[in-house]
Protein backbone atom coordinates (compact mmCIF):
# COMPACT_ATOMS: atom_id res chain seq x y z
CA UNK A 1 0.00 0.00 0.00
CA UNK A 2 1.39 3.40 -0.93
CA UNK A 3 2.19 5.97 1.72
CA UNK A 4 -0.37 8.37 0.22
CA UNK A 5 -3.24 5.86 0.39
CA UNK A 6 -2.20 4.85 3.90
CA UNK A 7 -2.01 8.49 4.93
CA UNK A 8 -5.52 9.21 3.63
CA UNK A 9 -6.94 6.13 5.32
CA UNK A 10 -5.18 6.82 8.63
CA UNK A 11 -6.44 10.41 8.68
CA UNK A 12 -9.92 9.68 7.31
CA UNK A 13 -11.77 9.57 10.65
CA UNK A 14 -10.67 13.11 11.44
CA UNK A 15 -11.78 14.55 8.08
CA UNK A 16 -14.71 16.93 7.72
CA UNK A 17 -17.62 15.73 5.52
CA UNK A 18 -16.25 17.79 2.63
CA UNK A 19 -12.77 16.33 3.03
CA UNK A 20 -14.27 12.84 3.05
CA UNK A 21 -15.87 13.48 -0.35
CA UNK A 22 -12.43 14.26 -1.77
CA UNK A 23 -10.81 11.35 0.05
CA UNK A 24 -13.48 8.89 -1.14
CA UNK A 25 -12.94 9.87 -4.75
CA UNK A 26 -9.15 9.68 -4.54
CA UNK A 27 -9.23 6.28 -2.86
CA UNK A 28 -11.54 4.89 -5.55
CA UNK A 29 -10.04 6.71 -8.55
CA UNK A 30 -6.38 7.35 -7.79
CA UNK A 31 -5.22 6.74 -11.38
CA UNK A 32 -7.88 8.87 -13.04
CA UNK A 33 -7.44 11.67 -10.50
CA UNK A 34 -3.89 12.42 -11.65
CA UNK A 35 -5.31 13.83 -14.90
CA UNK A 36 -7.78 16.20 -13.23
CA UNK A 37 -7.38 19.90 -12.64
CA UNK A 38 -8.27 21.24 -9.22
CA UNK A 39 -11.51 22.62 -10.69
CA UNK A 40 -12.42 19.25 -12.21
CA UNK A 41 -11.77 17.40 -8.96
CA UNK A 42 -13.78 19.94 -6.98
CA UNK A 43 -16.72 19.63 -9.39
CA UNK A 44 -16.67 15.83 -9.32
CA UNK A 45 -16.58 15.78 -5.51
CA UNK A 46 -19.19 18.50 -5.16
CA UNK A 47 -16.94 20.80 -3.14
CA UNK A 48 -15.18 24.11 -3.73
CA UNK A 49 -11.62 24.54 -4.96
CA UNK A 50 -10.72 26.01 -1.58
CA UNK A 51 -11.79 22.74 0.04
CA UNK A 52 -9.46 20.77 -2.23
CA UNK A 53 -6.62 23.16 -1.40
CA UNK A 54 -7.24 22.75 2.33
CA UNK A 55 -7.40 18.97 1.85
CA UNK A 56 -3.92 19.10 0.30
CA UNK A 57 -2.67 21.21 3.20
CA UNK A 58 -4.15 18.75 5.70
CA UNK A 59 -2.12 15.96 4.13
CA UNK A 60 1.05 18.03 4.23
CA UNK A 61 1.29 18.76 0.49
CA UNK A 62 2.59 22.03 -0.88
CA UNK A 63 -0.44 22.67 -3.07
CA UNK A 64 -2.54 20.62 -5.46
CA UNK A 65 0.32 20.07 -7.89
CA UNK A 66 2.26 18.12 -5.27
CA UNK A 67 -0.77 15.93 -4.57
CA UNK A 68 -1.15 15.17 -8.30
CA UNK A 69 2.50 14.18 -8.48
CA UNK A 70 2.00 11.76 -5.59
CA UNK A 71 -1.04 10.32 -7.37
CA UNK A 72 0.95 9.87 -10.58
CA UNK A 73 3.59 7.91 -8.68
CA UNK A 74 0.95 5.53 -7.33
CA UNK A 75 0.36 3.74 -10.60
CA UNK A 76 4.03 2.82 -11.23
CA UNK A 77 3.06 2.33 -14.86
CA UNK A 78 5.64 3.38 -17.47
CA UNK A 79 4.23 5.75 -20.02
CA UNK A 80 4.98 5.36 -23.70
CA UNK A 81 4.85 9.14 -23.85
CA UNK A 82 7.70 9.56 -21.40
CA UNK A 83 11.38 9.18 -22.15
CA UNK A 84 11.80 7.96 -18.57
CA UNK A 85 10.03 4.73 -19.43
CA UNK A 86 12.75 3.59 -21.84
CA UNK A 87 15.88 4.97 -20.17
CA UNK A 88 18.55 2.40 -19.49
CA UNK A 89 16.89 -0.40 -21.46
CA UNK A 90 18.17 -2.35 -24.47
CA UNK A 91 14.92 -3.57 -26.03
CA UNK A 92 14.70 -6.01 -28.88
CA UNK A 93 13.61 -4.86 -32.33
CA UNK A 94 10.05 -6.10 -31.84
CA UNK A 95 9.94 -4.10 -28.60
CA UNK A 96 11.06 -0.99 -30.51
CA UNK A 97 8.26 -1.54 -33.00
CA UNK A 98 5.72 -2.05 -30.20
CA UNK A 99 6.79 1.19 -28.55
CA UNK A 100 6.65 3.00 -31.86
CA UNK A 101 3.11 1.77 -32.44
CA UNK A 102 2.13 2.72 -28.89
CA UNK A 103 3.45 6.26 -29.44
CA UNK A 104 1.58 6.47 -32.73
CA UNK A 105 -1.61 5.32 -31.04
CA UNK A 106 -1.16 7.85 -28.22
CA UNK A 107 -0.66 10.74 -30.64
CA UNK A 108 -3.54 9.63 -32.83
CA UNK A 109 -5.78 9.21 -29.79
CA UNK A 110 -4.99 12.75 -28.66
CA UNK A 111 -6.05 14.16 -32.02
CA UNK A 112 -9.13 11.95 -32.21
CA UNK A 113 -10.20 13.13 -28.76
CA UNK A 114 -9.68 16.73 -29.90
CA UNK A 115 -12.13 16.13 -32.73
CA UNK A 116 -14.58 14.33 -30.46
CA UNK A 117 -14.83 17.18 -27.96
CA UNK A 118 -14.49 19.98 -30.52
CA UNK A 119 -16.77 23.00 -30.24
CA UNK A 120 -16.95 23.88 -33.92
CA UNK A 121 -18.86 27.09 -33.29
CA UNK A 122 -16.09 28.25 -30.95
CA UNK A 123 -13.53 27.40 -33.64
CA UNK A 124 -15.37 29.54 -36.20
CA UNK A 125 -15.72 32.42 -33.72
CA UNK A 126 -12.02 32.17 -32.86
CA UNK A 127 -10.97 32.26 -36.51
CA UNK A 128 -13.25 35.25 -37.04
CA UNK A 129 -11.63 37.11 -34.11
CA UNK A 130 -8.18 36.48 -35.61
CA UNK A 131 -9.34 37.48 -39.09
CA UNK A 132 -10.87 40.76 -37.90
CA UNK A 133 -7.95 41.67 -35.59
CA UNK A 134 -5.48 44.40 -36.47
CA UNK A 135 -2.70 42.37 -34.85
CA UNK A 136 -2.60 38.89 -33.33
CA UNK A 137 -0.13 37.52 -30.78
CA UNK A 138 0.73 33.83 -30.40
CA UNK A 139 1.84 33.40 -26.78
CA UNK A 140 2.55 30.64 -24.28
CA UNK A 141 4.88 29.71 -21.43
CA UNK A 142 7.30 26.85 -20.83
CA UNK A 143 6.87 24.01 -23.29
CA UNK A 144 3.72 25.62 -24.62
CA UNK A 145 5.71 28.63 -25.78
CA UNK A 146 7.36 26.36 -28.34
CA UNK A 147 3.91 25.33 -29.54
CA UNK A 148 2.93 29.01 -29.70
CA UNK A 149 6.05 29.71 -31.75
CA UNK A 150 5.07 26.90 -34.13
CA UNK A 151 1.59 28.42 -34.40
CA UNK A 152 3.13 31.79 -35.25
CA UNK A 153 5.46 30.27 -37.86
CA UNK A 154 2.39 28.68 -39.45
CA UNK A 155 0.17 31.76 -39.42
CA UNK A 156 2.95 34.07 -40.62
CA UNK A 157 2.88 32.29 -43.99
CA UNK A 158 -0.66 33.55 -44.62
CA UNK A 159 -0.82 36.91 -42.81
CA UNK A 160 1.66 39.58 -41.65
CA UNK A 161 -0.47 40.51 -38.61
CA UNK A 162 0.79 37.68 -36.40
CA UNK A 163 3.48 38.18 -33.74
CA UNK A 164 5.27 35.94 -31.24
CA UNK A 165 6.87 37.13 -27.98
CA UNK A 166 9.08 34.71 -26.06
CA UNK A 167 10.14 36.30 -22.77
CA UNK A 168 7.45 36.31 -20.05
CA UNK A 169 8.27 39.87 -18.95
CA UNK A 170 8.10 41.06 -22.56
CA UNK A 171 4.77 39.29 -22.93
CA UNK A 172 3.36 41.26 -19.99
CA UNK A 173 4.71 44.54 -21.39
CA UNK A 174 3.30 43.72 -24.81
CA UNK A 175 -0.09 42.89 -23.30
CA UNK A 176 -0.11 46.21 -21.41
CA UNK A 177 0.10 48.06 -24.76
CA UNK A 178 -2.66 46.14 -26.54
CA UNK A 179 -6.07 47.59 -27.38
CA UNK A 180 -9.43 46.63 -28.89
CA UNK A 181 -7.76 45.80 -32.20
CA UNK A 182 -5.54 43.12 -30.65
CA UNK A 183 -6.19 39.40 -30.24
CA UNK A 184 -4.13 36.99 -28.12
CA UNK A 185 -3.92 33.33 -29.10
CA UNK A 186 -2.64 31.80 -25.86
CA UNK A 187 -1.54 28.16 -25.66
CA UNK A 188 -1.44 26.55 -22.22
CA UNK A 189 -2.05 22.87 -21.59
CA UNK A 190 -2.91 23.20 -17.90
CA UNK A 191 -3.84 26.88 -17.78
CA UNK A 192 -2.76 27.26 -14.16
CA UNK A 193 0.49 29.26 -14.26
CA UNK A 194 0.81 32.69 -12.68
CA UNK A 195 2.52 33.97 -15.83
CA UNK A 196 -0.48 33.06 -17.98
CA UNK A 197 -2.92 34.84 -15.67
CA UNK A 198 -0.70 37.93 -15.54
CA UNK A 199 -0.41 38.24 -19.32
CA UNK A 200 -4.07 37.57 -20.04
CA UNK A 201 -5.20 39.87 -17.24
CA UNK A 202 -3.29 42.79 -18.76
CA UNK A 203 -4.55 41.97 -22.25
CA UNK A 204 -8.19 41.89 -21.17
CA UNK A 205 -7.77 45.10 -19.15
CA UNK A 206 -6.66 46.82 -22.36
CA UNK A 207 -9.69 45.57 -24.29
CA UNK A 208 -7.91 42.87 -26.30
CA UNK A 209 -9.73 39.66 -27.22
CA UNK A 210 -8.35 36.37 -25.92
CA UNK A 211 -8.44 32.87 -27.40
CA UNK A 212 -7.09 30.10 -25.17
CA UNK A 213 -6.14 26.64 -26.39
CA UNK A 214 -6.01 24.32 -23.37
CA UNK A 215 -6.92 20.90 -22.04
CA UNK A 216 -8.82 22.36 -19.09
CA UNK A 217 -11.72 24.71 -19.92
CA UNK A 218 -12.24 25.58 -16.24
CA UNK A 219 -8.65 26.63 -15.63
CA UNK A 220 -7.68 30.11 -14.34
CA UNK A 221 -6.32 31.07 -17.78
CA UNK A 222 -9.58 30.06 -19.48
CA UNK A 223 -11.50 32.44 -17.23
CA UNK A 224 -9.90 35.34 -19.13
CA UNK A 225 -10.82 33.96 -22.55
CA UNK A 226 -13.43 35.16 -24.99
CA UNK A 227 -13.15 31.76 -26.66
CA UNK A 228 -11.76 28.48 -25.30
CA UNK A 229 -10.64 25.70 -27.64
CA UNK A 230 -10.24 22.43 -25.74
CA UNK A 231 -7.63 19.98 -27.02
CA UNK A 232 -7.39 16.27 -26.30
CA UNK A 233 -4.49 14.29 -24.89
CA UNK A 234 -3.68 13.45 -21.31
CA UNK A 235 -0.50 14.36 -19.48
CA UNK A 236 0.43 13.28 -15.96
CA UNK A 237 2.75 15.29 -13.68
CA UNK A 238 5.47 12.76 -14.55
CA UNK A 239 5.12 13.49 -18.28
CA UNK A 240 6.01 17.16 -18.50
CA UNK A 241 6.50 18.07 -22.15
CA UNK A 242 4.32 15.23 -23.42
CA UNK A 243 4.57 15.05 -27.21
CA UNK A 244 0.98 13.78 -27.56
CA UNK A 245 -0.28 16.81 -25.60
CA UNK A 246 1.65 19.11 -27.93
CA UNK A 247 0.34 17.18 -30.93
CA UNK A 248 -3.24 17.82 -29.87
CA UNK A 249 -2.54 21.54 -29.46
CA UNK A 250 -0.83 21.78 -32.85
CA UNK A 251 -3.73 19.88 -34.39
CA UNK A 252 -6.05 22.54 -32.96
CA UNK A 253 -3.82 25.25 -34.45
CA UNK A 254 -4.05 23.51 -37.83
CA UNK A 255 -7.84 23.40 -37.62
CA UNK A 256 -7.94 27.05 -36.60
CA UNK A 257 -5.68 28.19 -39.43
CA UNK A 258 -7.77 26.20 -41.90
CA UNK A 259 -10.88 28.04 -40.76
CA UNK A 260 -8.97 31.34 -40.97
CA UNK A 261 -8.07 30.56 -44.58
CA UNK A 262 -11.69 29.71 -45.36
CA UNK A 263 -12.71 33.20 -44.23
CA UNK A 264 -10.24 34.82 -46.62
CA UNK A 265 -9.39 32.36 -49.37
CA UNK A 266 -8.08 34.93 -51.85
CA UNK A 267 -5.96 36.88 -49.38
CA UNK A 268 -4.40 33.89 -47.61
CA UNK A 269 -3.66 32.13 -50.90
CA UNK A 270 -1.92 35.25 -52.23
CA UNK A 271 0.14 35.58 -49.06
CA UNK A 272 1.03 31.88 -49.08
CA UNK A 273 2.31 32.24 -52.63
CA UNK A 274 4.35 35.33 -51.71
CA UNK A 275 6.03 33.66 -48.75
CA UNK A 276 6.67 30.50 -50.75
CA UNK A 277 8.31 32.54 -53.56
CA UNK A 278 10.43 34.43 -51.02
CA UNK A 279 11.82 31.16 -49.61
CA UNK A 280 12.28 29.39 -52.94
CA UNK A 281 15.61 31.06 -53.64
CA UNK A 282 17.01 29.74 -50.35
CA UNK A 283 16.47 26.10 -51.34
CA UNK A 284 19.66 24.25 -52.29
Amino acid sequence: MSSLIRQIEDTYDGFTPSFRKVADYLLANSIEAQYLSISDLADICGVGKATVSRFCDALGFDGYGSLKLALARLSNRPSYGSIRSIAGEEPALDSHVARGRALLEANTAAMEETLRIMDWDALVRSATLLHEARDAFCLGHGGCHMVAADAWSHFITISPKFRCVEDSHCQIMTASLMDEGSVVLFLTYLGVTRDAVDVLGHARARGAKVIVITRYPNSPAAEYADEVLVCGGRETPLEGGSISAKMSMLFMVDLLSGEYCRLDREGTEANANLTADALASRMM
Side-chain angles (χ1 to χ4, degrees):
M1 181 185 299
S2 76
S3 59
L4 174 59
I5 296 299
R6 183 182 299 110
Q7 184 179 5
I8 293 175
E9 292 180 342
D10 290 346
T11 318
Y12 188 88
D13 289 342
F15 284 160
T16 64
S18 294
F19 278 17
R20 289 185 181 184
K21 291 180 180 179
V22 180
D24 289 342
Y25 182 82
L26 295 181
L27 291 173
N29 304 276
S30 60
I31 294 177
E32 183 63 27
Q34 66 184 300
Y35 298 106
L36 300 177
S37 69
I38 187 171
S39 297
D40 291 335
L41 179 60
D43 289 344
I44 290 173
C45 298
V47 300
K49 290 190 291 184
T51 297
V52 177
S53 294
R54 290 194 297 270
F55 178 85
C56 296
D57 292 340
L59 292 178
F61 287 103
D62 183 21
Y64 182 65
S66 296
L67 175 63
K68 284 185 65 174
L69 184 58
L71 289 169
R73 286 171 172 154
L74 283 179
S75 63
N76 291 321
R77 296 186 309 175
S79 167
Y80 283 109
S82 171
I83 193 171
R84 299 176 183 83
S85 66
I86 60 175
E89 296 183 12
E90 296 293 340
L93 179 60
D94 59 345
S95 181
H96 281 302
V97 173
R99 287 194 175 121
R101 292 191 179 280
L103 284 171
L104 175 62
E105 290 172 3
N107 292 333
T108 302
M111 291 186 284
E112 287 179 342
E113 184 181 8
T114 300
L115 281 181
R116 181 178 60 80
I117 62 179
M118 174 67 68
D119 183 341
W120 295 101
D121 291 336
L123 183 76
V124 172
R125 291 193 300 267
S126 298
T128 301
L129 286 177
L130 290 173
H131 182 254
E132 295 177 350
R134 183 192 63 250
D135 45 39
F137 297 86
C138 300
L139 306 177
H141 291 116
C144 288
H145 167 70
M146 293 181 282
V147 184
D150 280 337
W152 167 75
S153 70
H154 183 63
F155 276 108
I156 199 65
T157 66
I158 56 176
S159 173
K161 73 172 66 173
F162 287 86
R163 306 283 188 272
C164 183
V165 182
E166 179 176 0
D167 182 78
S168 60
H169 289 180
C170 290
Q171 286 186 13
I172 292 176
M173 290 187 289
T174 299
S176 70
L177 298 177
M178 293 179 184
D179 57 28
E180 292 83 354
S182 305
V183 172
V184 176
L185 177 62
F186 201 92
L187 293 98
T188 171
Y189 183 79
L190 295 175
V192 297
T193 64
R194 179 78 243 176
D195 286 339
V197 171
D198 285 345
V199 170
L200 297 181
H202 282 287
R204 287 303 300 267
R206 294 289 298 171
K209 300 295 184 183
V210 173
I211 303 164
V212 170
I213 296 179
T214 183
R215 181 67 178 89
Y216 297 99
N218 296 320
S219 63
E223 293 179 3
Y224 289 88
D226 294 279
E227 299 293 343
V228 178
L229 300 176
V230 182
C231 61
R234 308 216 303 177
E235 178 182 278
T236 77
L238 293 174
E239 297 174 310
S242 163
I243 296 298
S244 62
K246 289 184 173 67
M247 287 286 289
S248 67
M249 300 180 82
L250 285 172
F251 183 44
M252 182 67 77
V253 168
D254 217 359
L255 292 169
L256 183 58
S257 68
E259 184 60 28
Y260 183 98
C261 290
R262 189 188 67 81
L263 294 172
D264 184 14
R265 295 182 187 278
E266 184 175 341
T268 54
E269 183 176 354
N271 287 336
N273 284 326
L274 287 171
T275 54
D277 289 342
L279 291 176
S281 62
R282 302 184 67 85
M283 301 298 178
M284 298 297 291

